[in-house]
């Protein structure tokens, strides 16, 4: 786009690219050992019903703790894993780990809840997804209705007809789906009606400004009403304050997750959180 970069700008740009690519290369290389070396783990963030305050689900969020580089953000390393293909092995590991964990919790007497797993666009496009997911559920012995797959509007809109077919197949097997980061993409309303999902996750950028921004209030309300008219549930992401929560409840949002309730937690801390939990009112 920028056609008239000066010589100085150009020099600056190439230097930045080199820094970026050195880091990229480092992560790219380290990633090939991350799974085998046990550097990956999942944290779980509780999701709450706004009707009765109970925990109804947990979103599994990937964490990578590298011995030298420290803790790495999925926002940084997942795009690299998508480029080098590692996302398929990592994504399968995430799914198996999350499903196994929930089975273990339910068998141990924890009140049943849904585990939400984020899918990558690369996984969503891969012809083996349906088989992989159903095999893991069978192996582990978790009924499919306990799993919710999160996908984004962009993933569904990349090839809407293929997405509709896949969503129908997943739905037939009893697996739920939610649209993550809803409102930031560009899904057309006519397609949204055909997507066999059960929930819209209201993006945290809209939730963040509820307290002061009139526009975002209107967007949140519009999404909740849209979802209701399509018979979909809504969950608000990134809820950080009591006033955001009060507004969401007033508008009829079904569920919420965010730092106001809890950050994503490692397994033992999540278990302790659930045990200590009184319904949030
Ligand atoms: P996401 O699925 O939209 O997840 C929500 C992100 O918001 C998470 O960041 C979560 O830790 C953070 N969050 C939760 N509550 C709050 C809050 O109240 N305030 C703020 N400011 N942030 C909050 P995280 O864990 O860094 O993950 C970032 C993104 O990386 C995720 O966005 C998702 O797109 C991707 N991701 C994470 N785990 C996986 C995975 O296993 N597979 C794939 N394909 N993507 C993943
Ligand atoms: Mg998500
Ligand atoms: Mg999200
Ligand atoms: Mg996201």
């Amino acid at each position: 786009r920028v056609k008239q970069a000066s010589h100085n700008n150009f020099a600056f740009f190439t230097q930045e690219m080199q820094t970026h690519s050195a880091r990229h290369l480092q992560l790219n290389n380290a990633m090939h050992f991350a799974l085998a070396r046990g550097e990956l783990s999942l944290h779980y963030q509780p999701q709450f019903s706004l009707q009765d305050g109970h925990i109804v689900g947990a979103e599994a969020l990937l964490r990578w703790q590298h011995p030298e580089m420290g803790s790495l953000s999925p926002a940084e390393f997942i795009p690299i894993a998508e480029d080098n293909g590692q996302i398929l092995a990592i994504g399968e590991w995430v799914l198996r780990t999350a499903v196994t964990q929930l089975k273990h919790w339910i068998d141990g007497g924890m009140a049943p809840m849904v585990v939400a797993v984020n899918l990558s666009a690369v996984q969503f496009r891969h012809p083996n997804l349906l088989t992989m997911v159903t095999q893991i559920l069978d192996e582990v012995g978790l009924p499919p209705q306990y799993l919710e797959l999160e996908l984004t509007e962009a993933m569904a809109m990349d090839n809407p007809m293929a997405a509709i077919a896949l969503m129908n197949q997943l739905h037939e097997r009893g697996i739920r789906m939610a649209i993550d980061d809803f409102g930031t993409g560009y899904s057309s309303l006519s397609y949204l009606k055909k997507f066999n999902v059960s929930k819209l996750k209201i993006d945290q950028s809209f939730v963040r400004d509820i307290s002061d921004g009139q526009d975002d209030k209107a967007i949140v309300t519009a999404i909740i009403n849209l979802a209701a008219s399509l018979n979909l549930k809504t969950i608000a992401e990134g809820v950080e304050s009591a006033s955001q929560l009060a507004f969401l409840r007033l508008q009829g949002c079904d569920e919420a997750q965010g730092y106001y309730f809890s950050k994503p937690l490692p397994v033992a801390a999540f278990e302790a959180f659930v045990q200590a939990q009184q319904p949030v009112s």
Side-chain angles (χ1 to χ4, degrees):
R1 250 175 189 274
V2 181
K3 284 181 179 164
Q4 292 176 322
S6 73
H7 179 74
N8 282 344
N9 281 342
F10 183 74
F12 176 72
F13 185 52
T14 51
Q15 196 182 358
E16 202 173 51
M17 274 173 68
Q18 269 169 10
T19 317
H20 171 262
S21 68
R23 169 95 175 161
H24 192 287
L25 202 64
Q26 194 183 12
L27 291 179
N28 185 52
N29 291 336
M31 195 176 291
H32 290 88
F33 308 101
L35 258 181
R37 290 180 182 165
E39 294 167 6
L40 301 184
S41 67
L42 296 182
H43 284 192
Y44 296 88
Q45 187 175 40
Q47 301 175 322
F48 294 82
S49 161
L50 296 188
Q51 256 107 68
D52 61 15
H54 285 108
I55 297 179
V56 289
E59 181 175 4
L61 292 156
L62 186 57
R63 298 291 178 260
W64 179 9
Q65 185 68 35
H66 187 270
E68 280 100 43
M69 291 182 280
S71 85
L72 301 160
S73 161
E76 181 179 22
F77 70 78
I78 284 182
I80 299 172
E82 288 176 329
D83 281 350
N84 68 21
Q86 287 285 308
I87 192 64
L88 290 173
I90 292 173
E92 185 170 343
W93 178 87
V94 167
L95 197 67
R96 181 172 283 106
T97 304
V99 162
T100 305
Q101 183 64 69
L102 183 64
K103 168 74 173 159
H104 179 74
W105 280 335
I106 292 174
D107 286 354
M110 193 184 277
M113 63 176 75
V114 166
V115 69
V117 173
N118 291 282
L119 284 185
S120 146
V122 175
Q123 289 176 287
F124 195 68
R125 277 198 304 265
H126 195 276
N128 196 39
L129 180 73
L130 179 70
T131 310
M132 192 264 285
V133 174
T134 51
Q135 264 175 13
I136 288 176
L137 287 168
D138 285 352
E139 265 171 44
V140 173
L142 184 76
Q145 65 269 21
Y146 288 115
L147 176 63
E148 183 170 271
L149 298 175
E150 294 192 2
L151 51 126
T152 63
E153 292 170 86
M155 282 160 61
M157 289 306 294
D158 181 49
N159 182 348
M161 298 321 282
I164 289 166
L166 177 57
M167 286 189 236
N168 286 339
Q169 287 177 306
L170 287 162
H171 185 260
E172 272 168 32
R173 308 290 172 100
I175 297 157
R176 301 174 197 213
M177 282 151 284
I179 306 233
D180 204 352
D181 307 339
F182 188 79
T184 61
Y186 60 106
S187 51
S188 90
L189 296 184
S190 61
Y191 277 123
L192 188 59
K193 224 172 116 179
K194 295 182 181 138
F195 293 157
N196 219 333
V197 300
S198 53
K199 206 185 273 183
L200 302 182
K201 296 195 78 174
I202 304 169
D203 189 68
Q204 54 190 58
S205 62
F206 304 124
V207 175
R208 194 173 299 137
D209 299 333
I210 279 177
S211 336
D212 36 61
Q214 208 57 42
D215 286 353
D216 284 325
K217 263 191 180 149
I219 291 170
V220 168
T221 304
I223 294 174
I224 293 169
N225 293 335
L226 170 69
S229 69
L230 293 173
N231 235 331
L232 304 174
K233 286 192 159 197
T234 42
I235 180 165
E237 318 187 71
V239 176
E240 294 185 355
S241 72
S243 65
Q244 292 168 343
L245 178 60
F247 178 79
L248 290 160
R249 188 179 275 128
L250 190 69
Q251 297 303 316
C253 186
D254 297 296
E255 297 171 5
Q257 71 183 95
Y259 296 167
Y260 179 71
F261 305 96
S262 170
K263 295 200 165 192
L265 300 169
V267 171
F270 183 84
E271 289 167 351
F273 183 88
V274 170
Q275 263 169 17
Q277 194 58 31
Q278 301 293 325
V280 176
S281 53

mmCIF file of all heavy atoms in Angstrom, residues 31-61:
data_model
loop_
_atom_site.group_PDB
_atom_site.id
_atom_site.type_symbol
_atom_site.label_atom_id
_atom_site.label_comp_id
_atom_site.label_asym_id
_atom_site.label_seq_id
_atom_site.Cartn_x
_atom_site.Cartn_y
_atom_site.Cartn_z
ATOM 1 N N MET A 31 9.087 -24.976 18.683
ATOM 2 C CA MET A 31 7.752 -25.565 18.671
ATOM 3 C C MET A 31 7.762 -27.056 18.348
ATOM 4 O O MET A 31 6.920 -27.805 18.816
ATOM 5 C CB MET A 31 6.902 -24.824 17.643
ATOM 6 C CG MET A 31 5.429 -25.063 17.766
ATOM 7 S SD MET A 31 4.557 -24.051 16.590
ATOM 8 C CE MET A 31 4.819 -22.409 17.245
ATOM 9 N N HIS A 32 8.753 -27.457 17.547
ATOM 10 C CA HIS A 32 8.811 -28.863 17.161
ATOM 11 C C HIS A 32 9.090 -29.783 18.349
ATOM 12 O O HIS A 32 8.855 -30.978 18.268
ATOM 13 C CB HIS A 32 9.853 -29.066 16.048
ATOM 14 C CG HIS A 32 9.410 -28.472 14.746
ATOM 15 N ND1 HIS A 32 9.662 -27.161 14.398
ATOM 16 C CD2 HIS A 32 8.679 -28.988 13.727
ATOM 17 C CE1 HIS A 32 9.129 -26.902 13.225
ATOM 18 N NE2 HIS A 32 8.528 -27.997 12.791
ATOM 19 N N PHE A 33 9.598 -29.216 19.446
ATOM 20 C CA PHE A 33 9.908 -30.023 20.628
ATOM 21 C C PHE A 33 8.932 -29.776 21.778
ATOM 22 O O PHE A 33 8.974 -30.465 22.787
ATOM 23 C CB PHE A 33 11.330 -29.726 21.108
ATOM 24 C CG PHE A 33 12.364 -29.851 20.017
ATOM 25 C CD1 PHE A 33 12.868 -28.727 19.374
ATOM 26 C CD2 PHE A 33 12.808 -31.112 19.628
ATOM 27 C CE1 PHE A 33 13.804 -28.854 18.353
ATOM 28 C CE2 PHE A 33 13.740 -31.243 18.606
ATOM 29 C CZ PHE A 33 14.238 -30.105 17.968
ATOM 30 N N ALA A 34 8.083 -28.774 21.604
ATOM 31 C CA ALA A 34 7.249 -28.319 22.736
ATOM 32 C C ALA A 34 6.341 -29.422 23.274
ATOM 33 O O ALA A 34 6.253 -29.627 24.489
ATOM 34 C CB ALA A 34 6.421 -27.106 22.323
ATOM 35 N N LEU A 35 5.676 -30.142 22.376
ATOM 36 C CA LEU A 35 4.756 -31.202 22.803
ATOM 37 C C LEU A 35 5.502 -32.328 23.512
ATOM 38 O O LEU A 35 5.157 -32.706 24.627
ATOM 39 C CB LEU A 35 4.035 -31.781 21.577
ATOM 40 C CG LEU A 35 2.604 -31.325 21.321
ATOM 41 C CD1 LEU A 35 2.039 -32.023 20.081
ATOM 42 C CD2 LEU A 35 1.715 -31.584 22.524
ATOM 43 N N ALA A 36 6.574 -32.832 22.848
ATOM 44 C CA ALA A 36 7.323 -33.972 23.390
ATOM 45 C C ALA A 36 7.973 -33.621 24.728
ATOM 46 O O ALA A 36 8.130 -34.479 25.596
ATOM 47 C CB ALA A 36 8.371 -34.423 22.387
ATOM 48 N N ARG A 37 8.380 -32.371 24.891
ATOM 49 C CA ARG A 37 9.034 -31.968 26.140
ATOM 50 C C ARG A 37 8.062 -31.547 27.229
ATOM 51 O O ARG A 37 8.469 -31.076 28.294
ATOM 52 C CB ARG A 37 10.023 -30.828 25.855
ATOM 53 C CG ARG A 37 11.222 -31.309 25.057
ATOM 54 C CD ARG A 37 12.200 -30.203 24.771
ATOM 55 N NE ARG A 37 13.315 -30.709 23.967
ATOM 56 C CZ ARG A 37 14.196 -29.957 23.318
ATOM 57 N NH1 ARG A 37 14.084 -28.640 23.384
ATOM 58 N NH2 ARG A 37 15.156 -30.499 22.621
ATOM 59 N N GLY A 38 6.784 -31.672 26.928
ATOM 60 C CA GLY A 38 5.766 -31.359 27.940
ATOM 61 C C GLY A 38 5.698 -29.887 28.302
ATOM 62 O O GLY A 38 5.362 -29.526 29.426
ATOM 63 N N GLU A 39 6.024 -29.020 27.342
ATOM 64 C CA GLU A 39 6.008 -27.577 27.629
ATOM 65 C C GLU A 39 4.615 -26.956 27.462
ATOM 66 O O GLU A 39 4.390 -25.819 27.842
ATOM 67 C CB GLU A 39 7.013 -26.853 26.717
ATOM 68 C CG GLU A 39 8.462 -27.232 27.008
ATOM 69 C CD GLU A 39 9.438 -26.780 25.934
ATOM 70 O OE1 GLU A 39 9.037 -26.072 24.985
ATOM 71 O OE2 GLU A 39 10.624 -27.159 26.037
ATOM 72 N N LEU A 40 3.701 -27.720 26.864
ATOM 73 C CA LEU A 40 2.350 -27.192 26.658
ATOM 74 C C LEU A 40 1.427 -27.621 27.792
ATOM 75 O O LEU A 40 1.567 -28.712 28.337
ATOM 76 C CB LEU A 40 1.776 -27.693 25.325
ATOM 77 C CG LEU A 40 2.548 -27.341 24.056
ATOM 78 C CD1 LEU A 40 1.788 -27.839 22.828
ATOM 79 C CD2 LEU A 40 2.806 -25.845 23.944
ATOM 80 N N SER A 41 0.513 -26.757 28.132
ATOM 81 C CA SER A 41 -0.504 -27.115 29.115
ATOM 82 C C SER A 41 -1.776 -26.345 28.800
ATOM 83 O O SER A 41 -1.769 -25.427 27.958
ATOM 84 C CB SER A 41 -0.032 -26.794 30.536
ATOM 85 O OG SER A 41 0.082 -25.395 30.700
ATOM 86 N N LEU A 42 -2.853 -26.722 29.451
ATOM 87 C CA LEU A 42 -4.107 -25.990 29.286
ATOM 88 C C LEU A 42 -4.487 -25.313 30.588
ATOM 89 O O LEU A 42 -4.344 -25.892 31.664
ATOM 90 C CB LEU A 42 -5.238 -26.941 28.863
ATOM 91 C CG LEU A 42 -5.092 -27.619 27.502
ATOM 92 C CD1 LEU A 42 -6.312 -28.498 27.218
ATOM 93 C CD2 LEU A 42 -4.893 -26.602 26.385
ATOM 94 N N HIS A 43 -4.946 -24.090 30.475
ATOM 95 C CA HIS A 43 -5.601 -23.423 31.581
ATOM 96 C C HIS A 43 -7.098 -23.414 31.280
ATOM 97 O O HIS A 43 -7.502 -23.517 30.122
ATOM 98 C CB HIS A 43 -5.073 -21.996 31.757
ATOM 99 C CG HIS A 43 -3.724 -21.959 32.407
ATOM 100 N ND1 HIS A 43 -3.158 -20.796 32.878
ATOM 101 C CD2 HIS A 43 -2.825 -22.934 32.668
ATOM 102 C CE1 HIS A 43 -1.967 -21.059 33.416
ATOM 103 N NE2 HIS A 43 -1.737 -22.351 33.292
ATOM 104 N N TYR A 44 -7.885 -23.327 32.349
ATOM 105 C CA TYR A 44 -9.344 -23.403 32.189
ATOM 106 C C TYR A 44 -9.973 -22.170 32.803
ATOM 107 O O TYR A 44 -9.708 -21.833 33.956
ATOM 108 C CB TYR A 44 -9.883 -24.678 32.851
ATOM 109 C CG TYR A 44 -9.363 -25.934 32.179
ATOM 110 C CD1 TYR A 44 -8.151 -26.517 32.572
ATOM 111 C CD2 TYR A 44 -10.054 -26.516 31.116
ATOM 112 C CE1 TYR A 44 -7.651 -27.654 31.940
ATOM 113 C CE2 TYR A 44 -9.561 -27.644 30.473
ATOM 114 C CZ TYR A 44 -8.370 -28.217 30.886
ATOM 115 O OH TYR A 44 -7.866 -29.329 30.255
ATOM 116 N N GLN A 45 -10.804 -21.484 32.001
ATOM 117 C CA GLN A 45 -11.504 -20.306 32.519
ATOM 118 C C GLN A 45 -12.988 -20.634 32.691
ATOM 119 O O GLN A 45 -13.659 -21.016 31.728
ATOM 120 C CB GLN A 45 -11.338 -19.110 31.582
ATOM 121 C CG GLN A 45 -11.925 -17.829 32.194
ATOM 122 C CD GLN A 45 -11.678 -16.593 31.368
ATOM 123 O OE1 GLN A 45 -11.758 -16.651 30.147
ATOM 124 N NE2 GLN A 45 -11.400 -15.475 32.025
ATOM 125 N N PRO A 46 -13.505 -20.484 33.925
ATOM 126 C CA PRO A 46 -14.911 -20.827 34.165
ATOM 127 C C PRO A 46 -15.877 -19.906 33.429
ATOM 128 O O PRO A 46 -15.614 -18.713 33.251
ATOM 129 C CB PRO A 46 -15.060 -20.692 35.682
ATOM 130 C CG PRO A 46 -13.943 -19.819 36.124
ATOM 131 C CD PRO A 46 -12.832 -20.020 35.144
ATOM 132 N N GLN A 47 -16.998 -20.499 33.040
ATOM 133 C CA GLN A 47 -18.080 -19.760 32.380
ATOM 134 C C GLN A 47 -19.320 -19.899 33.263
ATOM 135 O O GLN A 47 -19.636 -20.990 33.727
ATOM 136 C CB GLN A 47 -18.366 -20.362 30.998
ATOM 137 C CG GLN A 47 -17.131 -20.344 30.089
ATOM 138 C CD GLN A 47 -17.373 -21.040 28.750
ATOM 139 O OE1 GLN A 47 -18.054 -22.063 28.680
ATOM 140 N NE2 GLN A 47 -16.811 -20.480 27.694
ATOM 141 N N PHE A 48 -20.021 -18.788 33.467
ATOM 142 C CA PHE A 48 -21.113 -18.737 34.440
ATOM 143 C C PHE A 48 -22.460 -18.495 33.789
ATOM 144 O O PHE A 48 -22.571 -17.675 32.872
ATOM 145 C CB PHE A 48 -20.855 -17.608 35.455
ATOM 146 C CG PHE A 48 -19.652 -17.859 36.308
ATOM 147 C CD1 PHE A 48 -18.382 -17.556 35.843
ATOM 148 C CD2 PHE A 48 -19.789 -18.426 37.563
ATOM 149 C CE1 PHE A 48 -17.257 -17.808 36.624
ATOM 150 C CE2 PHE A 48 -18.676 -18.681 38.351
ATOM 151 C CZ PHE A 48 -17.407 -18.372 37.876
ATOM 152 N N SER A 49 -23.478 -19.176 34.312
ATOM 153 C CA SER A 49 -24.853 -18.869 33.929
ATOM 154 C C SER A 49 -25.253 -17.564 34.606
ATOM 155 O O SER A 49 -25.018 -17.384 35.803
ATOM 156 C CB SER A 49 -25.774 -19.995 34.392
ATOM 157 O OG SER A 49 -27.114 -19.520 34.435
ATOM 158 N N LEU A 50 -25.870 -16.647 33.869
ATOM 159 C CA LEU A 50 -26.336 -15.408 34.487
ATOM 160 C C LEU A 50 -27.730 -15.573 35.081
ATOM 161 O O LEU A 50 -28.244 -14.678 35.735
ATOM 162 C CB LEU A 50 -26.293 -14.248 33.488
ATOM 163 C CG LEU A 50 -24.878 -13.887 33.000
ATOM 164 C CD1 LEU A 50 -24.886 -12.617 32.169
ATOM 165 C CD2 LEU A 50 -23.898 -13.767 34.165
ATOM 166 N N GLN A 51 -28.344 -16.730 34.845
ATOM 167 C CA GLN A 51 -29.628 -17.018 35.482
ATOM 168 C C GLN A 51 -29.437 -17.392 36.955
ATOM 169 O O GLN A 51 -30.055 -16.822 37.826
ATOM 170 C CB GLN A 51 -30.353 -18.161 34.764
ATOM 171 C CG GLN A 51 -31.491 -17.706 33.876
ATOM 172 C CD GLN A 51 -31.106 -17.823 32.414
ATOM 173 O OE1 GLN A 51 -30.946 -18.924 31.916
ATOM 174 N NE2 GLN A 51 -30.938 -16.692 31.746
ATOM 175 N N ASP A 52 -28.547 -18.369 37.197
ATOM 176 C CA ASP A 52 -28.433 -18.859 38.571
ATOM 177 C C ASP A 52 -27.017 -18.760 39.147
ATOM 178 O O ASP A 52 -26.785 -19.147 40.280
ATOM 179 C CB ASP A 52 -28.936 -20.310 38.670
ATOM 180 C CG ASP A 52 -28.128 -21.268 37.808
ATOM 181 O OD1 ASP A 52 -27.027 -20.889 37.362
ATOM 182 O OD2 ASP A 52 -28.590 -22.398 37.588
ATOM 183 N N GLY A 53 -26.080 -18.242 38.379
ATOM 184 C CA GLY A 53 -24.730 -18.030 38.899
ATOM 185 C C GLY A 53 -23.841 -19.260 38.937
ATOM 186 O O GLY A 53 -22.694 -19.187 39.369
ATOM 187 N N HIS A 54 -24.360 -20.386 38.482
ATOM 188 C CA HIS A 54 -23.540 -21.591 38.510
ATOM 189 C C HIS A 54 -22.525 -21.628 37.369
ATOM 190 O O HIS A 54 -22.729 -21.019 36.328
ATOM 191 C CB HIS A 54 -24.432 -22.844 38.415
ATOM 192 C CG HIS A 54 -25.158 -23.150 39.685
ATOM 193 N ND1 HIS A 54 -26.516 -22.968 39.821
ATOM 194 C CD2 HIS A 54 -24.705 -23.605 40.874
ATOM 195 C CE1 HIS A 54 -26.874 -23.309 41.048
ATOM 196 N NE2 HIS A 54 -25.796 -23.688 41.716
ATOM 197 N N ILE A 55 -21.444 -22.382 37.613
ATOM 198 C CA ILE A 55 -20.474 -22.626 36.540
ATOM 199 C C ILE A 55 -21.097 -23.617 35.560
ATOM 200 O O ILE A 55 -21.516 -24.693 35.956
ATOM 201 C CB ILE A 55 -19.156 -23.193 37.109
ATOM 202 C CG1 ILE A 55 -18.509 -22.167 38.052
ATOM 203 C CG2 ILE A 55 -18.199 -23.565 35.975
ATOM 204 C CD1 ILE A 55 -17.214 -22.648 38.691
ATOM 205 N N VAL A 56 -21.163 -23.218 34.303
ATOM 206 C CA VAL A 56 -21.762 -24.101 33.291
ATOM 207 C C VAL A 56 -20.741 -24.622 32.296
ATOM 208 O O VAL A 56 -21.038 -25.504 31.504
ATOM 209 C CB VAL A 56 -22.913 -23.391 32.538
ATOM 210 C CG1 VAL A 56 -24.114 -23.211 33.456
ATOM 211 C CG2 VAL A 56 -22.448 -22.046 31.957
ATOM 212 N N GLY A 57 -19.538 -24.044 32.340
ATOM 213 C CA GLY A 57 -18.530 -24.484 31.386
ATOM 214 C C GLY A 57 -17.154 -24.000 31.752
ATOM 215 O O GLY A 57 -16.970 -23.253 32.730
ATOM 216 N N ALA A 58 -16.168 -24.467 30.965
ATOM 217 C CA ALA A 58 -14.787 -24.022 31.137
ATOM 218 C C ALA A 58 -14.167 -23.929 29.748
ATOM 219 O O ALA A 58 -14.267 -24.874 28.963
ATOM 220 C CB ALA A 58 -14.006 -25.022 31.990
ATOM 221 N N GLU A 59 -13.562 -22.788 29.437
ATOM 222 C CA GLU A 59 -12.851 -22.681 28.163
ATOM 223 C C GLU A 59 -11.405 -23.102 28.380
ATOM 224 O O GLU A 59 -10.727 -22.591 29.279
ATOM 225 C CB GLU A 59 -12.902 -21.257 27.598
ATOM 226 C CG GLU A 59 -12.161 -21.161 26.250
ATOM 227 C CD GLU A 59 -12.263 -19.811 25.560
ATOM 228 O OE1 GLU A 59 -12.846 -18.866 26.134
ATOM 229 O OE2 GLU A 59 -11.732 -19.704 24.427
ATOM 230 N N ALA A 60 -10.957 -24.052 27.561
ATOM 231 C CA ALA A 60 -9.564 -24.499 27.608
ATOM 232 C C ALA A 60 -8.712 -23.524 26.807
ATOM 233 O O ALA A 60 -9.007 -23.243 25.639
ATOM 234 C CB ALA A 60 -9.449 -25.901 27.017
ATOM 235 N N LEU A 61 -7.673 -22.995 27.437
ATOM 236 C CA LEU A 61 -6.789 -22.031 26.765
ATOM 237 C C LEU A 61 -5.348 -22.531 26.845
ATOM 238 O O LEU A 61 -4.846 -22.870 27.921
ATOM 239 C CB LEU A 61 -6.954 -20.645 27.381
ATOM 240 C CG LEU A 61 -8.340 -20.031 27.090
ATOM 241 C CD1 LEU A 61 -8.729 -19.001 28.127
ATOM 242 C CD2 LEU A 61 -8.373 -19.430 25.673
#
